[in-house]
Amino acid sequence: MSMLTQAGFAAALRDGASPTPRGLAAWNGPRPDRRFAVYRNNVAIGLRQALASRYPATERIVGEAFFAAMADAYVVEHPPRSPVLLAYGEDFAAFVAGFEPARELAYLPDVARLEAARGRAYHAADVIPLEPAKLAGIAPDLLGATTLLPHPSMSVLRSPHPVVTIWAMNAGEAEPEPILDWNGEDALVVRPRMTVEVHRLGPGGATFLTTLAQGATLGEAMLAAAADDDNFDLAANLALVLASGAFTAIRSPGGHHD
Amino acid sequence: MNPSHLPRRAGVGFKPEHFTAIDQARQPVGFFEVHAENYMGAGGPPHAQLSRLRADYALSIHGVGLSIGAMQPLDRDHLARLRALCGRYEPESFSEHLAWSSHDTVFLNDLLPLPYTGQTLARVAEHVDEVQTALGRQMLLENPATYLLFEESTIEETDFLAEVARRTGCGLLLDVNNVFVAATNHRLDPRAYLARFPLERVREIHLSGHSETVDDHGAPLLIDSHDTPVKDPVWALYETVIERTGPVATLIEWDNDVPDWPVLRAEAEAAEALLQRAASRRAA
């Protein structure tokens, strides 16, 4: 099999409208279309399943048939470039955002973004989260200049839609019911140990956590969050920083770190 | 080169949904097998579970994405990932397929067939050599389930596998379900295939279920679907194989419509009983 033959086989696999490649045979005659279709079908179904297992709430929202059509369209434009399928579909949300038939569901791309973040968190490196007592041990006058190391699994997502509520209702985490307050929700996604957790963030929380995760000091992050939202609640957000396991170590200004 | 050395017992393809059931007590299985690519994340539950299993059982790492049968060069990044995974878990065995699954930079996510010619034989042998060198261990190469043939093929599959093994020193993974599926699909006698198969190179056997459809002319076409118990004719072929080879590490694969753990365990116990019978016959 030359490289050229393999290229033709690969191209025909990916294009359902193209004829069965030449040079193939079966014991009972030439043009084994149905036999070739087995491979074509395996490729399509396998990738559809890979996406469905990473985006189950998205699939639940639109239904299996709609999701399959959306996944097939995605696969044509963004075939996997690596055999490590657990990371496939990283940019699926951006595709969903531009997928014309799903345009009415303006919140759908953010649900997919949340699921992508959950998938990354699931497979992220394992690091033991910061012990709350460690932060309590820092002298109050040094606290503002303290920086924290983010957990490899943590990420923050902002949405103009109630993305956490919608996701929870379609992931079996909350009873489905009409959403009366259609407000934006920001989320912290983190896997402190073996379970991926999604926290709904209060006003300014996304700015606070994002700024901290980028290496800013607690003082800088607090100022940025307060500037972003007047209702930023420092005590509640500090409590979340410690309870969620979103950070793993402290660096106090004296150069000491832990 | 570290040779493949799985225990000559029945094993099971590990599914994460069975972890809790498996972890409750010591299970009557000789080893577990996992697909390498499912353990290429940095951490999380997959590695926690695999580490736990590894502590108690022998392990086989089975790759499904290296594309050894491709005419293009192997993916060096993927080879490095396999090397890291084998370094981390030190499995008793590493195996891959006589098939291709990537072309250009696209991963096609299926085990695709290749014609058997002098040219493809040379390429596959080169690739197997490269894998064994990179991993510092012997690998096992698995015979494929195929649905169609190539007009350009000039070498029997059994001879092809024997020659790759001879040139590279690799072992073979004999998938008896694949033998039955491919033989049916190409209207060949599976016993004749097995008679030509270089059984002395076999270090592991795979058993699984298949489903049935028909081809363009209404002839039976079997699909290697891994979604049912092992079927009777496959058990029968398996018995003829181990009668000749004696006990060989034997894996039950069940990847789709996965049943509860006890069903899978019972399949492994059925294989184990046949292995013990084969062992006592040889001793007699």
Side-chain angles (χ1 to χ4, degrees), chain A residues 65-182:
Chain A
F66 190 100
F67 187 87
M70 189 160 69
D72 290 353
Y74 173 79
V75 167
V76 170
E77 279 185 37
H78 305 264
R81 303 285 171 181
S82 156
V84 187
L85 284 184
L86 59 85
Y88 180 52
E90 198 50 47
D91 53 359
F92 186 55
F95 177 84
V96 171
F99 188 63
E100 194 57 30
R103 203 168 67 170
E104 275 180 33
L105 303 176
Y107 57 84
L108 196 64
D110 283 354
V111 173
R113 267 182 207 109
L114 181 58
E115 295 198 285
R118 284 179 52 83
R120 283 193 301 274
Y122 188 81
H123 293 291
D126 301 312
V127 182
I128 296 169
L130 177 66
E131 262 179 61
K134 292 256 170 74
L135 196 62
I138 293 189
D141 58 324
L142 295 180
L143 207 54
T146 299
T147 60
L148 300 173
L149 275 183
H151 194 282
S153 70
M154 80 91 90
S155 62
V156 172
L157 178 117
R158 299 165 190 253
S159 176
H161 308 286
V163 63
V164 179
T165 304
I166 296 168
W167 169 78
M169 286 179 182
N170 289 285
E173 301 269 332
E175 280 300 309
E177 58 184 12
I179 299 173
L180 301 175
D181 284 332
W182 193 273

Side-chain angles (χ1 to χ4, degrees), chain B residues 158 176 179-180 183-184 187-197 199 232-241 243-244:
Chain B
T158 44
V176 179
V179 171
F180 184 72
T184 306
R187 208 176 53 168
L188 301 169
D189 176 4
R191 285 170 197 273
Y193 179 97
L194 288 172
R196 284 182 78 114
F197 200 92
L199 290 181
D232 288 342
V234 174
W235 281 122
L237 288 176
Y238 173 61
E239 284 195 71
T240 66
V241 169
E243 233 166 66
R244 286 168 56 200

Side-chain angles (χ1 to χ4, degrees), chain A residues 229-243:
Chain A
D229 198 313
D230 292 341
N231 296 318
F232 173 67
D233 180 339
L234 178 62
N237 277 279
L238 270 180
L240 181 69
V241 161
L242 295 176

Side-chain angles (χ1 to χ4, degrees), chain B residues 220-233:
Chain B
L221 184 65
L222 302 187
I223 310 292
D224 179 33
S225 50
H226 295 191
D227 59 352
T228 69
V230 178
K231 306 226 162 143
D232 288 342

Side-chain angles (χ1 to χ4, degrees), chain A residues 6 23 25 28 34-35 81, chain B residues 71 105 147 149 151 215-216:
Chain A
Q6 224 156 40
N28 51 4
R34 291 190 66 148
R35 289 166 178 262
R81 303 285 171 181
Chain B
M71 291 298 98
T105 61
Y147 308 117
L149 303 168
E151 284 166 359
D215 78 354
D216 305 82

Side-chain angles (χ1 to χ4, degrees), chain A residues 1 3 6-7 23-25 27-28 32-35 39 42-43 46 80-81 83-85 122-124 126 191 194, chain B residues 42-44 69 71-72 81 100 103 105-110 113 115 120 147 149-152 185 187 214-216:
Chain A
M1 179 180 241
M3 194 76 156
Q6 224 156 40
L24 303 179
W27 65 268
N28 51 4
D33 294 340
R34 291 190 66 148
R35 289 166 178 262
Y39 292 106
N42 284 351
V43 173
R81 303 285 171 181
V84 187
L85 284 184
Y122 188 81
H123 293 291
D126 301 312
R191 182 177 58 77
M194 283 302 130
Chain B
M71 291 298 98
Q72 67 187 20
R81 285 189 286 263
W100 57 288
H103 182 73
T105 61
V106 172
F107 175 59
L108 293 156
N109 192 37
D110 195 25
T120 60
Y147 308 117
L149 303 168
F150 291 84
E151 284 166 359
E152 62 181 296
N185 291 347
R187 208 176 53 168
V214 290
D215 78 354
D216 305 82

